[in-house]
Amino acid sequence: MAELYLDDAERRIKANMTALINAARAVPAVKTKPASAASVRQKEAADEAAAVVATQTGALESPSLTVMQKPTREERMAQLKYVRESNYRTQQAILKGEKPEVPPEDENYTYDYTWHVFAGGGGEWRLIRFPKFKPTVAKSDNNNNNNNNNNNNNNNNNNNNNNNNNNDNTVVNGGQTTNIDVLKSLLRSLGYSANLIDSSADFLNRLLKDGLDYDNAISIFLDSKEYTFKNGQKVISPFYTAYGYLNEGLTVPKSAADLFNAVEGYKEVIAKYNLNEKFISSDSLKKYIKNDIKVSDLDARANAARLKAVNADPSYTSALMQLGYIKAPTDLTDFFLNPDIGKEALEQNRATAAFSAEAIRRAQQGVTFDATRFKQISAGLLGKGLSEEQISATAATGFETISQQLKPTQKLSGIYERIPRAEAVEQIQMELEAEQFLGTASERRKRLSELENRSFQGAAGTTTSSLKRRSAGII
């Protein structure tokens, strides 16, 4: 029970010490009054408790706490006024595009604002902290022993310095040790490839030597177009050169991870189907990103191009050429992987090509091709929720019926209508297409059928009357 109580007391002491330290750091310096006897006893008790905790936890020494007198109302108001004025000056500077006021340094860091350039254009001021140099002093009760140890340490340090000269991986800046291997490991954990990281090692190492910590170094590497080092030299980030430039011109820039995954995915698709590398050129990649083409979309496109090439349907290829989507039969892959065409536009073009192919397939039966009309009809079918395959099947059934009705209707038009034949042929096909694909009955075909029926009935009536007259009076 005593041990449990002691553990609980230690936790309370640690919590109180942490709160007091944080409060001392957060509150600006104010005038203090001489500590009372009770305050002195409280400090001594805290120091004794801290010594117990330090002994049990292995700490070398306990922090010395300063008992702060509670600030007066006037002092608190002065502090708030300073904070408000400082925030106001910072906001006004940012609105004007000027460098904001740099916050005062504290015990651990100095601060400075640097201009952060966005990959997609524009930028902002960002506050970067630089760790301050903190010399470490070893304490000992025996100064003579210290001197002897220091001599030995100097020899060891000379050896260490020789080793450090041969190892550029570790950077010591302001008492803070950073290592390029750690930074590389952090980037690998975010999903970036070893090739990218290794090729960018020099840039990353320079960021660490310039005083940046890991978080700021990663942010500059992935999110900035360039960085200005303390010596005034501007260097473009290797990530921007390979991926970040793709955000240029985008209304909503993509994240570094999205850009990296998209580009690497595109490359895998092109390699998978053994396609021309022109589809992963800088220009093509930029258009794929602009049109928001996902890796899965590009894979589906490449697979569709492969299947169409295997099937080798001449009617489909002819449709693509007559629609102006390709210039030669060998451009079939270019149609599907065209980076200028977004997902919805390609879907519409594929539907129109599938629809038109069925009309071209029946050209010998009198069906003619009309790009404008076919685009409108296929867009309507696509709007009804039909897929490319369903549109193709609908077109096959419809144009088959049209091909059977076309010539008989054209013949009747030539008999009963006094309009040029070419004009009649075009109008009749348009009306038959509306009947099959839009559900609109052809008034012309209905009228011509009625005229034909009347003509047939009239001819039949005349023949019957003649027979009756000729047979009257016989017997």
Side-chain angles (χ1 to χ4, degrees):
M1 186 67 183
E3 292 179 356
L4 292 176
Y5 178 79
L6 181 59
D7 289 342
D8 186 59
E10 290 175 1
R11 284 193 295 270
R12 289 198 303 271
I13 292 171
K14 287 182 179 180
N16 291 335
M17 289 173 63
T18 301
L20 288 171
I21 293 171
N22 291 336
R25 290 175 177 173
V27 179
V30 295
K31 298 179 180 179
T32 58
K33 297 179 181 180
S36 63
S39 299
V40 172
R41 286 195 299 273
Q42 180 182 1
K43 180 180 182 302
E44 291 174 350
D47 288 342
E48 291 175 358
V52 173
V53 174
T55 302
Q56 295 180 353
T57 58
L60 294 177
E61 57 181 351
S62 61
S64 178
L65 301 180
T66 302
V67 178
M68 305 293 294
Q69 186 69 24
K70 183 178 179 180
T72 64
R73 182 177 183 278
E74 290 75 13
E75 290 170 337
R76 289 200 304 273
M77 294 300 293
Q79 295 165 9
L80 290 175
K81 181 180 179 182
Y82 171 79
V83 171
R84 291 195 198 100
E85 291 178 350
S86 177
N87 290 339
Y88 176 77
R89 288 193 298 270
T90 300
Q91 292 172 0
Q92 291 300 309
I94 291 175
L95 290 174
K96 294 178 182 178
E98 300 173 353
K99 183 176 180 179
E101 179 183 350
V102 178
E105 62 182 46
D106 56 29
E107 181 182 357
N108 298 314
Y109 298 97
T110 60
Y111 301 90
D112 193 13
Y113 278 98
T114 62
W115 182 252
H116 173 84
V117 180
F118 295 134
E124 67 179 5
W125 286 104
R126 285 192 176 181
L127 184 65
I128 296 182
R129 65 182 186 181
F130 298 93
K132 295 175 67 175
F133 174 71
K134 293 182 179 180
T136 301
V137 180
K139 293 184 177 181
S140 174
D141 294 334
N142 193 331
N143 291 332
N144 293 329
N145 290 336
N146 276 343
N147 292 331
N148 294 331
N149 290 333
N150 287 336
N151 291 332
N152 294 330
N153 287 337
N154 288 334
N155 295 329
N156 293 332
N157 288 335
N158 290 332
N159 294 330
N160 289 335
N161 289 334
N162 292 332
N163 292 332
N164 289 336
N165 290 333
N166 297 325
N167 185 3
D168 293 333
N169 289 344
T170 301
V171 178
V172 179
N173 193 305
Q176 181 186 33
T177 301
T178 53
N179 190 289
I180 186 63
D181 292 331
V182 175
L183 183 55
K184 287 182 177 181
S185 179
L186 290 172
L187 288 169
R188 282 194 296 270
S189 69
L190 294 175
Y192 297 100
S193 65
N195 289 336
L196 170 66
I197 297 170
D198 292 340
S199 63
S200 308
D202 181 64
F203 179 80
L204 296 171
N205 206 22
R206 289 189 63 185
L207 292 177
L208 296 181
K209 289 182 178 180
D210 215 46
L212 273 67
D213 57 18
Y214 296 128
D215 290 338
N216 282 318
I218 290 175
S219 177
I220 294 296
F221 175 62
L222 297 178
D223 301 327
S224 296
K225 178 179 179 179
E226 59 187 20
Y227 178 75
T228 303
F229 290 93
K230 290 181 179 179
N231 61 6
Q233 182 185 14
K234 286 186 178 181
V235 179
I236 296 177
S237 168
F239 184 87
Y240 176 86
T241 303
Y243 305 96
Y245 74 95
L246 297 171
N247 266 332
E248 292 179 354
L250 296 185
T251 304
V252 182
K254 296 184 180 297
S255 68
D258 288 343
L259 290 178
F260 176 80
N261 292 330
V263 172
E264 295 305 312
Y266 296 154
K267 292 178 180 179
E268 290 179 3
V269 170
I270 300 307
K272 174 182 176 181
Y273 293 97
N274 195 26
L275 300 176
N276 194 313
E277 290 192 355
K278 68 180 181 180
F279 296 114
I280 51 173
S281 65
S282 296
D283 185 58
S284 295
L285 291 175
K286 204 165 186 180
K287 291 176 180 178
Y288 285 142
I289 294 295
K290 179 181 178 181
N291 289 312
D292 199 24
I293 304 301
K294 297 179 174 57
V295 175
S296 57
D297 296 336
L298 192 67
D299 187 272
R301 289 187 179 195
N303 189 48
R306 179 184 65 84
L307 294 175
K308 289 296 183 183
V310 170
N311 294 334
D313 182 1
S315 297
Y316 187 82
T317 305
S318 178
L320 291 176
M321 295 177 65
Q322 293 190 52
L323 288 166
Y325 297 152
I326 62 175
K327 295 180 179 179
T330 55
D331 297 337
L332 191 62
T333 303
D334 292 47
F335 167 70
F336 284 95
L337 274 73
N338 186 351
D340 291 313
I341 303 298
K343 182 178 181 179
E344 293 181 359
L346 180 64
E347 188 178 44
Q348 175 61 63
N349 292 349
R350 290 177 62 173
T352 303
F355 183 87
S356 302
E358 297 304 326
I360 294 173
R361 210 182 307 281
R362 293 163 179 80
Q364 296 297 325
Q365 298 168 262
V367 178
T368 58
F369 174 85
D370 188 290
T372 303
R373 197 165 65 245
F374 288 177
K375 288 179 181 179
Q376 293 175 347
I377 296 175
S378 60
L381 296 175
L382 196 64
K384 293 180 179 179
L386 274 67
S387 65
E388 180 182 352
E389 292 74 15
Q390 291 172 329
I391 290 174
S392 179
T394 301
T397 302
F399 280 118
E400 184 64 28
T401 303
I402 290 172
S403 67
Q404 296 172 4
Q405 298 175 345
L406 191 59
K407 288 187 176 180
T409 306
Q410 290 172 353
K411 182 179 179 181
L412 292 177
S413 175
I415 296 173
Y416 298 107
E417 294 180 332
R418 296 180 179 180
I419 59 176
R421 184 178 182 280
E423 182 179 344
V425 169
E426 182 180 1
Q427 290 178 357
I428 290 170
Q429 181 171 326
M430 287 176 59
E431 293 177 6
L432 293 176
E433 288 171 2
E435 191 173 44
Q436 291 298 317
F437 305 121
L438 305 179
T440 304
S442 174
E443 294 295 332
R444 181 196 297 269
R445 194 168 68 85
K446 180 180 178 182
R447 184 177 67 255
L448 291 175
S449 296
E450 290 176 351
L451 290 172
E452 177 66 7
N453 289 334
R454 290 175 187 175
S455 176
F456 179 78
Q457 291 174 358
T462 301
T463 303
T464 304
S465 299
S466 299
L467 290 173
K468 287 183 179 179
R469 286 195 299 270
R470 291 176 183 177
S471 59
I474 299 178
I475 299 179

